[in-house]
Amino acid sequence: MLIEARGPVEWVTLNRPGALNALNPAMIEDLRDYFLGLPDRKDVRIVVLRGAGRAFCAGLDLKTESYADDTASGGGVQRGLKTQHRIAEIVMAMRRCPQPIISLIHGPACGGGFSLALASDIRIAGESARMNCAYIRIGLGGCDIGSSYFLPRLVGASLAAELILTGKFINAERALRAGLVAQVVADAELEAAAQEDIDLMLTTSPLGLRMSKEALNMNLDAGGIEAAIALEDRNQILCAQTEDFREGLNSFLTRRPPVWKDA
């Protein structure tokens, strides 16, 4: 992985272009460690995830010695489950970390690569993007690394079933119509499209942005509108007690940019 800090934004690039950024053991451990470490990093406000070369991520690396060996029948149930859990920890850490994650998807996003995109908060697709639940095409089930959780919530049960049960590809245009991605742009314009959202998010208070991601996550599975509103009420009152709320209010009234202290 390559990690480039641009102020409070980290641009994370999957950097195995010769293998279409397929997930080998080293990349799996790097992604897991990176996302697990984000909750303790207030210096990072936003993460952008992308792939080098011709692809976002082609999924698990099946052509070289990889974690796939552990999950095969010869590896044993216990060893296979341990390996499976370590891979799944990446997407769970992506959802738990307070920083919004923007995925820039171009070319193939297959299997585990598709799951990385699904676990992101904002997905922007290049015109070349092609995504699928590749797991079912290699003798496994189509429900893996969160696909059966994310897809029905993003696109509804029918399209989720079509993608999971067949492993067929969904292209950028259909993904946009289904609400799977926020927008589709030319591949060369992906970074600029992300920057527009980044610039807007950086004008928000740090605590307000973190709590907004938390509320979106929690309320996907809320027991009803009462539970959702209770969490929203709690977040707003907590934010209202901060210096940043007073700064935000004063900057709005005086029509000047806010200066956030995250306090």
Side-chain angles (χ1 to χ4, degrees):
M1 285 180 2
L2 299 176
I3 301 174
E4 178 190 358
R6 301 183 190 176
V9 182
E10 287 198 339
W11 293 69
V12 179
T13 304
L14 307 178
N15 191 37
R16 299 187 68 222
L20 299 181
N21 302 314
L23 300 170
N24 66 354
M27 188 180 288
I28 289 168
E29 293 304 313
D30 286 347
L31 283 166
R32 179 181 173 275
D33 292 345
Y34 176 77
F35 285 110
L36 284 173
L38 281 176
D40 295 326
R41 297 191 57 198
K42 282 193 173 182
D43 60 307
V44 180
R45 292 197 61 197
I46 302 165
V47 173
V48 181
L49 183 63
R50 59 184 177 175
R54 298 185 295 111
F56 177 71
C57 175
L60 196 65
D61 190 341
L62 301 176
K63 294 183 179 180
T64 61
E65 182 181 354
S66 72
Y67 273 22
D69 298 333
D70 290 344
T71 57
S73 57
V77 171
Q78 291 86 347
R79 181 178 172 186
L81 276 175
K82 181 179 178 180
T83 298
Q84 186 77 12
H85 288 163
R86 290 187 75 80
I87 300 172
E89 279 179 336
I90 298 170
V91 298
M92 289 190 286
M94 290 172 71
R95 298 316 313 142
R96 290 171 181 159
C97 74
Q99 295 86 350
I101 302 168
I102 303 173
S103 274
L104 306 182
I105 309 160
H106 75 289
C110 307
F114 191 19
S115 289
L116 292 177
L118 293 174
S120 303
D121 297 287
I122 299 173
R123 286 161 295 280
I124 302 174
E127 292 173 342
S128 67
R130 300 170 66 246
M131 298 163 275
N132 82 324
C133 296
Y135 338 93
I136 202 167
R137 306 307 310 167
I138 59 169
L140 298 172
C143 301
D144 195 20
I145 319 177
S147 63
S148 62
Y149 179 88
F150 294 121
L151 271 173
R153 286 163 172 78
L154 289 168
V155 302
S158 182
L159 179 53
E162 180 185 357
L163 297 176
I164 286 171
L165 298 178
T166 67
K168 69 164 57 173
F169 280 93
I170 181 169
N171 63 22
E173 200 165 310
R174 189 182 184 198
L176 179 63
R177 292 197 305 268
L180 183 55
V181 299
Q183 57 177 312
V184 175
V185 299
D187 287 6
E189 297 173 6
L190 280 167
E191 185 171 325
Q195 194 62 52
E196 179 182 359
D197 288 343
I198 289 167
D199 291 343
L200 287 168
M201 284 191 281
L202 289 179
T203 65
T204 68
S205 76
L207 181 62
L209 189 63
R210 294 195 297 266
M211 285 196 159
S212 295
K213 173 170 177 172
E214 179 192 60
L216 282 168
N217 281 341
M218 298 291 288
N219 287 340
L220 280 173
D221 298 317
I225 188 170
E226 292 86 358
I229 289 178
L231 180 60
E232 292 175 350
D233 290 347
R234 166 257 199 183
N235 286 0
Q236 297 297 58
I237 295 304
L238 288 174
C239 286
Q241 309 309 306
T242 65
E243 289 185 30
D244 275 349
F245 171 66
R246 290 185 285 276
E247 168 63 14
L249 188 59
N250 288 333
S251 67
F252 176 79
L253 293 173
T254 57
R255 298 186 179 184
R256 61 171 175 79
V259 180
W260 305 119
K261 297 181 180 179
D262 202 5

